[in-house]
C-alpha cells in the first residue's frame, strides 16, 4: 500500500477543517433569522422618533448637501429617488415590513433581499448618524441572502411540510455563504482588537475614558471605569479576547468549544449594553452569534433530515465575488496597504454592495472628556439647549454627558459634524433644529439665533484648559460676515 500523497493529505485535512468550521445548523439559522427580523422592526420603530429631522427635506439631512457629503454616485439609496417625507417614510416602512416577514419566515428569500435593500437605503439616508452596528447588520444581511434562513421554524417551512409531511428537513448548510457569514462575524472583533494595539490601550487607560458619560459610557459604565484595577482588567480582557477568541472559533470548531465561545461573546455584548450607550449594536452582536450555536443545543428532530441543498453555480459565484471584495477591503484596512488608495472600480463595487470592512471600534480613544450643547436665544430673551429639549444651557460638562442627548444617534451625528468632511451639513443641521423648535412653540418662544458647540478638556497632563468650538449656527451669516457682530455683542 503506497503512502498517501502529502499534498492530498493536506487537502483532505483542510477540507475536513472547513466543513467543521463553516457548517451551520439550520435551526441556528432560524433563530438568527428571527433575531435579524426583530432588530429590523425595532430599528424601524426607533428611527420614527426623529423622522421629521432625519428623513424629510426640511430636516437636518437635505438630499442635496447629503449627496455632496457622500461625494460619489455609487453610494445609492432608494430614499434618494425622491426628496419627500412620504417617500422616505415608505422606505423606512419597507425596513419594518421586511423585518417582520423575515422574523416569521414568510417568502424568506425575498424578505431578506428587501430587508437588505431597505436597510442600506435607510443607512445612506441618515449616514451622518449611523454607527458600526448598522453597517454590520447590512453586511450580515448580504450573506444571509445566500443562506437557507427559512428552512426551519418559518411559514415557508410550515407550508412545505403541510404539503408533504414526508419531505426531509434540511439540517445543515456548508457553502461559500456560510463561510462568508462566519468570517464576517469574526473579522469585526479581530479588526477592533488590532486597532486597540496602541499606547492608550496597552497602558490600560482607554477603556476608562470610553466608559465616561462624556464619551460613550452609561452611568454604570462610568462607575466601573472609575475603579482602576477593574477597568484595567476589563480592558486587557477585551483586547485579548478580540484578538484571540475569533481565531479560536476557527482553530477549534468543536461543538463544546464553539458553544462556550458563543456564550462568552453574548456575555460580552450584554456587558456592552449595560456599560455603553451605543444603540442596537449590542443586540446586533448577540444575534450575530446565533448561527454558530451548536446543533446539540436544539431538541432532536423527529422528521428525517438531510444536508441542505448547495448553492447554484450562479449564486456561488456571486457570493464568492462579494466575499472577495469584502476580503480586499478588510486586508486593505488592517495592513500598511491602507496608505494606498484602492482602485476606483473596487471602491465603487464596495459602495454598491455596502461591504466596506472598517471596524476600528474604539481603537483610538483620546484622553479627554468631550460634550456637545446648543445655545438658542429665544424671542423672550431666555437661552435654552435645543439638543436637550429646551433645558437650561450647561456650557461645560452638561449633566449626564452624552446620555442627556435624545439617544446615541445624536451623539454620533454631532461627532461627525465636527469633521471637515461634514461642514456641508452644519448649516442644515442648525436650521433643521431651529425650524422644528419654532414649529412646536409660540411667538414668545421662537428661536432668534442658535449655536451648536463642542467642548472638550484633556484628562491627562498639565494642559487641562476647557476648549469650546462653534460647530454650526443659525441664521446663516452672510459671506461678508453679516450677523457676526450682533452675535458677538450679545455674548
Amino acid at each position: 500500500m503506497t503512502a498517501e500523497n502529502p499534498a492530498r493529505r493536506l487537502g483532505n485535512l483542510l477540507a475536513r477543517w472547513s466543513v467543521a468550521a463553516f457548517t451551520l445548523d439550520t435551526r441556528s439559522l432560524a433563530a438568527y433569522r428571527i433575531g435579524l427580523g426583530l432588530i429590523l422592526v425595532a430599528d424601524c420603530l426607533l428611527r420614527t422618533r426623529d423622522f421629521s429631522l432625519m428623513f424629510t427635506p426640511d430636516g437636518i439631512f437635505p438630499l442635496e448637501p447629503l449627496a455632496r457629503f457622500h461625494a460619489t454616485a455609487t453610494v445609492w439609496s432608494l430614499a434618494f429617488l425622491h426628496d419627500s417625507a412620504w417617500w422616505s417614510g415608505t422606505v423606512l416602512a419597507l425596513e419594518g415590513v421586511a423585518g417582520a416577514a423575515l422574523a416569521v419566515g414568510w417568502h424568506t428569500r425575498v424578505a431578506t433581499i428587501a430587508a437588505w435593500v431597505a436597510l442600506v437605503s435607510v443607512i445612506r439616508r441618515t449616514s451622518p448618524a449611523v454607527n458600526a452596528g448598522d453597517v454590520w447588520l447590512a453586511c450580515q444581511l448580504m450573506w444571509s441572502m445566500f443562506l437557507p434562513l427559512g428552512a426551519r421554524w418559518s411559514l415557508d417551512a410550515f407550508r412545505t411540510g403541510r404539503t408533504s409531511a414526508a419531505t426531509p428537513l434540511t439540517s445543515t448548510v456548508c457553502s461559500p455563504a456560510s463561510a462568508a457569514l462566519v468570517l464576517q462575524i469574526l473579522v469585526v472583533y479581530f479588526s477592533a482588537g488590532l486597532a486597540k494595539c496602541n499606547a492608550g490601550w496597552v497602558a490600560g487607560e482607554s477603556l476608562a475614558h470610553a466608559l465616561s458619560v462624556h464619551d460613550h459610557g452609561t452611568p454604570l459604565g462610568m462607575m466601573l471605569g472609575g475603579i482602576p484595577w477593574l477597568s484595567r482588567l476589563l480592558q486587557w480582557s477585551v483586547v485579548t479576547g478580540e484578538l484571540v477568541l475569533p481565531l479560536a472559533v476557527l482553530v477549534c470548531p468543536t461543538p463544546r468549544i464553539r458553544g462556550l465561545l458563543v456564550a462568552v461573546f453574548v456575555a460580552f455584548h450584554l456587558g456592552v449594553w449595560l456599560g455603553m450607550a451605543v444603540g442596537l449594536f449590542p443586540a446586533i452582536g448577540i444575534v450575530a452569534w446565533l448561527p454558530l450555536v451548536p446543533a446539540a443545543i436544539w431538541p432532536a428532530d423527529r422528521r428525517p433530515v438531510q444536508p441542505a441543498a448547495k448553492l447554484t453555480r450562479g449564486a456561488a459565484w456571486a457570493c464568492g465575488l462579494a466575499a472577495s471584495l469584502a476580503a480586499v477591503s478588510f486586508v486593505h484596512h488592517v495592513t500598511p496597504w491602507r496608505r494606498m488608495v484602492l482602485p476606483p472600480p473596487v471602491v465603487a463595487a464596495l459602495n454598491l454592495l455596502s461591504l466596506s470592512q472598517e471596524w476600528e471600534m474604539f481603537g483610538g480613544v483620546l484622553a479627554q472628556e468631550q460634550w456637545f450643547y446648543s445655545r438658542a436665544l429665544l424671542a423672550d430673551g431666555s437661552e435654552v439647549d435645543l439638543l436637550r429639549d429646551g433645558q437650561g444651557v450647561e456650557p461645560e460638562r452638561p449633566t449626564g454627558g452624552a446620555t442627556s442627548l435624545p439617544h446615541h444617534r445624536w451623539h454620533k451625528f454631532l461627532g461627525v459634524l465636527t469633521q471637515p468632511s461634514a461642514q456641508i451639513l452644519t448649516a442644515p443641521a442648525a436650521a433643521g433644529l431651529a425650524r422644528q423648535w419654532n414649529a412646536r412653540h409660540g411667538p414668545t418662544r421662537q428661536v432668534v439665533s442658535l449655536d451648536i458647540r463642542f467642548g472638550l478638556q484633556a484628562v491627562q497632563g498639565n494642559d487641562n484648559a476647557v476648549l469650546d468650538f462653534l460647530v454650526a449656527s443659525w441664521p446663516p451669516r452672510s459671506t461678508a460676515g453679516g450677523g457676526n457682530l450682533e452675535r458677538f455683542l450679545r455674548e
Side-chain angles (χ1 to χ4, degrees), residues 161-176:
R162 186 175 56 182
T163 56
S164 177
T167 302
L169 297 169
T170 52
S171 60
T172 60
V173 57
C174 184
S175 69

Side-chain angles (χ1 to χ4, degrees), residues 334-417:
V334 301
T335 63
W337 293 346
R338 66 189 307 169
R339 300 187 184 94
M340 301 171 56
V341 179
L342 288 173
V346 175
V347 175
L350 290 170
N351 287 336
L352 291 172
L353 298 179
S354 189
L355 277 178
S356 295
Q357 304 292 306
E358 301 177 4
W359 308 109
E360 294 184 339
M361 278 85 78
F362 298 98
V365 180
L366 299 177
Q368 65 184 31
E369 292 188 339
Q370 54 202 23
W371 55 90
F372 297 91
Y373 70 98
S374 70
R375 186 188 300 275
L377 175 65
L378 304 184
D380 62 5
S382 61
E383 290 188 338
V384 296
D385 187 346
L386 298 195
L387 296 177
R388 293 171 173 82
D389 197 29
Q391 296 180 17
V393 177
E394 293 182 83
E396 185 174 329
R397 290 183 180 81
T399 304
T403 63
S404 61
L405 296 170
H407 48 80
H408 80 287
R409 293 200 184 281
W410 279 98
H411 189 198
K412 175 66 177 179
F413 166 59
L414 292 168
V416 170
L417 209 59

Side-chain angles (χ1 to χ4, degrees), residues 38-50:
L38 294 177
I39 284 178
L40 288 167
V41 172
D43 184 60
C44 172
L45 295 175
L46 290 172
R47 287 180 183 273
T48 60
R49 297 173 298 181
D50 300 303

Side-chain angles (χ1 to χ4, degrees), residues 283-301:
I284 294 169
I286 291 172
V287 169
W289 284 92
L290 294 180
L292 283 84
V293 172
I297 297 294
W298 309 114
D301 291 309

Side-chain angles (χ1 to χ4, degrees), residues 433-489:
L433 274 173
R435 190 181 298 116
Q436 186 190 64
W437 174 275
N438 288 342
R440 294 187 289 113
H441 294 82
T444 62
R445 300 287 289 173
Q446 295 288 290
V447 175
V448 175
S449 66
L450 169 66
D451 287 349
I452 300 175
R453 309 191 71 92
F454 171 50
L456 64 88
Q457 182 178 31
V459 295
Q460 288 182 347
N462 297 324
D463 185 10
N464 59 354
V466 174
L467 304 179
D468 190 275
F469 303 94
L470 177 65
V471 177
S473 63
W474 180 89
R477 305 173 188 182
S478 69
T479 55
N484 290 326
L485 178 59
E486 294 83 352
R487 195 180 302 260
F488 174 76
L489 292 175

Side-chain angles (χ1 to χ4, degrees), residues 173-421:
V173 57
C174 184
S175 69
S178 66
L181 180 62
V182 171
L183 293 174
Q184 178 68 75
I185 296 166
L186 302 183
V187 299
V188 171
Y189 300 93
F190 191 69
S191 297
L194 288 177
K196 293 181 177 68
C197 294
N198 55 54
W201 282 91
V202 171
E205 299 164 347
S206 291
L207 183 61
H209 301 324
L211 290 178
S212 167
V213 294
H214 296 295
D215 196 275
H216 284 80
T218 64
L220 175 61
M222 188 169 182
M223 183 187 72
L224 296 177
I227 306 174
W229 68 268
L230 179 59
S231 176
R232 288 187 174 87
L233 176 62
L234 291 174
Q235 175 165 306
W236 294 329
S237 299
V238 168
V239 177
T240 303
E242 288 180 336
L243 290 173
V244 175
L245 297 186
L247 299 177
V249 172
L250 293 178
V251 175
C252 308
T254 62
R256 180 173 296 181
I257 293 178
R258 180 159 288 188
L260 176 62
L261 292 173
V262 169
V264 168
F265 278 102
V266 168
F268 167 72
H269 282 290
L270 289 173
V272 172
W273 210 333
L274 294 173
M276 305 191 78
V278 287
L280 288 175
F281 179 81
I284 294 169
I286 291 172
V287 169
W289 284 92
L290 294 180
L292 283 84
V293 172
I297 297 294
W298 309 114
D301 291 309
R302 296 182 179 180
R303 286 172 55 185
V305 296
Q306 65 179 6
K310 295 182 179 180
L311 287 173
T312 63
R313 179 174 296 183
W317 275 101
C319 183
L321 178 60
S324 299
L325 285 168
V328 168
S329 177
F330 167 69
V331 172
H332 174 260
H333 195 69
V334 301
T335 63
W337 293 346
R338 66 189 307 169
R339 300 187 184 94
M340 301 171 56
V341 179
L342 288 173
V346 175
V347 175
L350 290 170
N351 287 336
L352 291 172
L353 298 179
S354 189
L355 277 178
S356 295
Q357 304 292 306
E358 301 177 4
W359 308 109
E360 294 184 339
M361 278 85 78
F362 298 98
V365 180
L366 299 177
Q368 65 184 31
E369 292 188 339
Q370 54 202 23
W371 55 90
F372 297 91
Y373 70 98
S374 70
R375 186 188 300 275
L377 175 65
L378 304 184
D380 62 5
S382 61
E383 290 188 338
V384 296
D385 187 346
L386 298 195
L387 296 177
R388 293 171 173 82
D389 197 29
Q391 296 180 17
V393 177
E394 293 182 83
E396 185 174 329
R397 290 183 180 81
T399 304
T403 63
S404 61
L405 296 170
H407 48 80
H408 80 287
R409 293 200 184 281
W410 279 98
H411 189 198
K412 175 66 177 179
F413 166 59
L414 292 168
V416 170
L417 209 59
T418 64
Q419 300 172 7
S421 60

